[in-house]
Amino acid sequence: MMKTKVSVVKDFVIGKVEDTLFSSFIEQLGRAVYTGIYEPDHPDCDDKGFRKDVVKLVKDLGISLVRYPGGNFLSGYDWKDGIGPRDKRPVRLDRAWKTIETNQVGIDDFYDWTQRTGTRILGAVNMGTGTVQDAGDLVEYCNYPGGTYWSDLRRKNGHDKPYGIKTWCVGNEMDGPWQICHLDAHDYGKKALEAIKMMKWTDDSIKCVVCGSAASTMPTYPEWDRIVLEHTYDMADYISIHRYFENLGDDDDFLASFYDMDQFIKTSTATCDYVKALKRSKKTMMLSFDEWNIWYQKNQTEHGWEKAPRLLEDNYNLLDALAFGGMVITLLNHSDRVKIACLAQLINVIAPITTEPKKGSFVQTIYYPFKDMCRFGKGVSLQPVVRTENKITKSYGEVPAVVFSAVYNEEEKTVTIFALNTSKNDDSETEIDLASFADTKLSYWSVLCGTDLSARNSFEKPDNVKSEILNEGVLSKVEQNKGVYKIQLKKASWNVLRFNIC
Ligand code: AHR
């Protein structure tokens, strides 16, 4: 049995957790859009062809932004193909994913979907084949009230009121040689600066995200980020970073993905602050972690030129959900600088929600820690002071075996502790010290764990893996002395504990 102690002090604030930390991503890729959110011949779709089961599941998650329309798809996409009468929209080759894009869903339709799901669009402009003019025109189409060519076209297409899309990604992963019209850092930095000027001169209330590195493993990281920021620092509001993890066969390494993500954020923050110093700027650059998840990249299936093929449809197991929980903890622990974070993606494509055409849907294991984050992560994150055992990992050396984040919600008078025990062998006898909050009461505890870490959900067994909410009887037996709680964190478990402040 391990011994762990975590102290959470009310005044030791890391930063406000913005609701945009609970964001996601839908790309025109595979079945994310077609038979994912949109399926006009589904028996249970609404008047616009959106699947009602998916709308409900997304609403239940409580996410804020949804990044759209890509992704690698973005860099070859002309947004004008996706507007106007559906029967007039062109069918195109999507060269990024080698599929056929029917353009039956475009920006207007996606806006309608966000209205149904209570989400907001995180827009994206094409910096591959797209021009600076296209970027400005898209902002005009979406955000300008009316009386100009593009805004009147939006009105003619059925949306009188502008969409008010507040945040825009200026391209996608432009550092990646796989990107259509990939650029070097100087060329991208110059193009992004001109695009931002055009976009902000159309709507000066918007915020822009420039492309940082597609992964910390990129050979150009972090030089790419430095150069891009040197070109764009004054006009940009965020720099994006992306990172996917996968289990390459060493479970302990995989469970330590939180540590890798933590180092990535720290180095990216330092790179931003270096450029801030260089520019003698008063502005602090924020990070938009607008693609993060687990992705088994080897599993990519062969396919011909098809419409909406089954691509990147990972089926996650319990171990994946635990590693994922570690990433949730890292994101919350960096809420001072990571202001946007998009789980990539949302439906079918490396996603927490899976659908079957004409049939139902189920949630993957990773749905649970993501929902916990969206539901209970609101407030300010506090710096937990942790004493626990270390584990030796091959890739990262010594890392803590038990990790925590803590969120204080002053309005709701609650403190939520997110805890991951990464040990596959040992439970942890854990003390949670909340003495600085005066009187507290444990009101909720959910646990995601199990004896079979390879267990998964499926259409046949949709509830094979799910979080268990512990009952009142269990909560009332938890020992407490002057705000110090004694609990046991099971081996290989993800835990959410909520305390009411009396
Ligand atoms: O999310 C899948 C892909 O991962 C995105 O299209 C791209 O931006 C990233 O490489």
Side-chain angles (χ1 to χ4, degrees):
M1 173 88 72
M2 288 189 290
K3 287 211 183 304
T4 300
K5 179 164 183 185
V6 56
S7 303
V8 176
V9 177
K10 192 175 162 185
D11 293 332
F12 207 166
V13 173
I14 298 172
K16 179 170 187 288
V17 184
E18 300 297 340
D19 74 337
T20 46
L21 204 73
F22 319 125
S23 298
S24 192
F25 173 35
I26 291 184
E27 179 167 3
Q28 303 254 148
L29 149 63
R31 298 194 309 114
V33 171
Y34 306 112
T35 73
I37 66 167
Y38 178 75
E39 194 178 339
D41 52 357
H42 189 276
D44 195 24
C45 70
D46 65 17
D47 56 325
K48 298 260 183 191
F50 296 122
R51 286 183 62 136
K52 287 191 195 159
D53 56 341
V54 172
V55 167
K56 182 176 178 322
L57 284 166
V58 173
K59 263 182 147 170
D60 287 351
L61 270 175
I63 51 181
S64 59
L65 301 177
V66 184
R67 185 167 172 253
Y68 173 85
N72 297 338
F73 171 77
L74 176 71
S75 299
Y77 178 55
D78 183 348
W79 65 268
K80 298 184 267 324
D81 288 346
I83 59 172
R86 281 204 165 98
D87 58 352
K88 301 261 169 0
R89 297 185 193 173
V91 174
R92 303 258 192 219
L93 294 182
D94 163 21
R95 295 173 177 88
W97 295 103
K98 302 194 173 45
T99 61
I100 304 276
E101 174 55 57
T102 60
N103 282 305
Q104 292 303 290
V105 170
I107 188 70
D108 298 325
D109 317 296
F110 194 71
Y111 175 75
D112 288 339
W113 184 79
T114 59
Q115 293 301 99
R116 282 159 169 72
T117 49
T119 55
R120 312 189 295 274
I121 299 176
L122 169 57
V125 297
N126 175 353
M127 287 287 102
T129 57
T131 64
V132 165
Q133 181 74 51
D134 294 331
D137 291 345
L138 177 57
V139 175
E140 181 184 328
Y141 183 86
C142 294
N143 286 7
Y144 200 78
T148 65
Y149 179 78
W150 291 111
S151 58
D152 282 347
L153 189 56
R154 181 200 68 240
R155 294 170 74 191
K156 187 170 155 228
N157 287 338
H159 291 85
D160 193 42
K161 287 206 182 108
Y163 303 152
I165 300 175
K166 287 293 162 219
T167 312
W168 293 85
C169 298
V170 185
N172 176 69
E173 296 188 349
M174 294 305 294
D175 58 325
W178 59 85
Q179 206 64 217
I180 294 174
C181 295
H182 152 70
L183 298 170
D184 73 21
H186 287 288
D187 287 345
Y188 168 69
K190 286 184 214 156
K191 184 170 178 181
L193 176 65
E194 296 311 314
I196 299 174
K197 278 159 56 182
M198 190 78 155
M199 294 161 76
K200 288 197 172 179
W201 290 350
T202 306
D203 177 353
D204 62 9
S205 72
I206 64 168
K207 305 272 182 225
C208 290
V209 185
V210 289
C211 294
S213 287
S216 47
T217 48
M218 292 297 288
T220 46
Y221 177 72
E223 269 299 275
W224 166 278
D225 308 63
R226 175 188 69 76
I227 297 166
V228 168
L229 285 173
E230 285 192 30
H231 285 283
T232 59
Y233 202 89
D234 292 341
M235 291 296 282
D237 304 281
Y238 307 85
I239 184 160
S240 79
I241 49 175
H242 294 175
R243 186 77 169 99
Y244 294 96
F245 296 92
E246 63 184 305
N247 190 344
L248 295 169
D250 184 322
D251 290 354
D252 284 328
D253 257 24
F254 180 49
L255 284 166
S257 300
F258 71 86
Y259 180 83
D260 185 304
M261 191 187 215
D262 180 76
Q263 298 300 305
F264 187 24
I265 293 172
K266 284 179 177 148
T267 308
S268 300
T269 302
T271 307
C272 292
D273 292 347
Y274 168 78
V275 181
K276 178 182 182 180
L278 198 72
K279 297 258 173 197
R280 283 28 172 187
S281 175
K282 290 198 168 56
K283 177 163 99 185
T284 299
M285 188 61 59
M286 297 298 165
L287 303 183
S288 171
F289 212 129
D290 44 44
E291 287 188 35
W292 68 274
N293 200 356
I294 292 158
W295 176 8
Y296 288 90
Q297 307 217 12
K298 314 183 284 291
N299 292 352
Q300 298 200 31
T301 39
E302 288 296 315
H303 61 95
W305 290 99
E306 287 167 52
K307 293 176 188 166
R310 290 178 189 264
L311 292 185
L312 282 54
E313 297 200 8
D314 283 355
N315 183 209
Y316 297 108
N317 65 21
L318 174 56
L319 189 74
D320 294 323
L322 299 176
F324 184 101
M327 296 175 217
V328 166
I329 285 176
T330 295
L331 289 169
L332 289 168
N333 283 339
H334 284 284
S335 66
D336 54 336
R337 296 301 289 271
V338 182
K339 293 295 181 184
I340 301 173
C342 302
L343 169 62
Q345 299 192 11
L346 188 56
I347 320 287
N348 290 330
V349 173
I350 43 173
I353 298 170
T354 301
T355 68
E356 191 56 30
K358 304 248 169 55
K359 294 194 182 139
S361 42
F362 72 92
V363 301
Q364 299 271 350
T365 58
I366 60 168
Y367 178 89
Y368 293 99
F370 187 52
K371 187 169 179 184
D372 289 336
M373 174 197 197
C374 300
R375 193 162 156 217
F376 297 127
K378 298 185 180 86
V380 290
S381 66
L382 304 177
Q383 183 65 62
V385 180
V386 184
R387 254 181 287 142
T388 187
E389 283 180 22
N390 279 344
K391 269 168 64 174
I392 313 282
T393 60
K394 273 202 203 101
S395 298
Y396 313 111
E398 282 196 23
V399 300
V402 188
V403 284
F404 297 90
S405 61
V407 175
Y408 169 44
N409 188 319
E410 196 174 4
E411 231 166 82
E412 289 180 4
K413 295 199 171 56
T414 53
V415 191
T416 303
I417 308 287
F418 300 88
L420 175 71
N421 181 356
T422 67
S423 170
K424 292 203 296 176
N425 306 315
D426 293 314
D427 292 354
S428 171
E429 207 169 83
T430 303
E431 276 187 20
I432 302 180
D433 184 344
L434 297 177
S436 74
F437 286 93
D439 271 0
T440 50
K441 185 175 182 295
L442 178 61
S443 59
Y444 175 95
W445 183 0
S446 69
V447 186
L448 181 64
C449 65
T451 44
D452 179 8
L453 294 177
S454 66
R456 297 161 205 271
N457 292 340
S458 61
F459 281 101
E460 293 70 38
K461 288 185 171 177
D463 293 329
N464 195 30
V465 180
K466 64 191 279 200
S467 286
E468 186 196 350
I469 300 174
L470 305 187
N471 64 36
E472 194 45 47
V474 178
L475 301 196
S476 63
K477 283 198 195 103
V478 168
E479 222 182 286
Q480 195 227 143
N481 185 14
K482 294 184 182 140
V484 181
Y485 294 78
K486 280 198 179 146
I487 59 161
Q488 202 156 316
L489 295 175
K490 288 198 178 141
K491 63 185 176 190
S493 69
W494 163 255
N495 300 264
V496 180
L497 297 112
R498 288 206 106 192
F499 299 85
N500 290 337
I501 304 165
C502 314

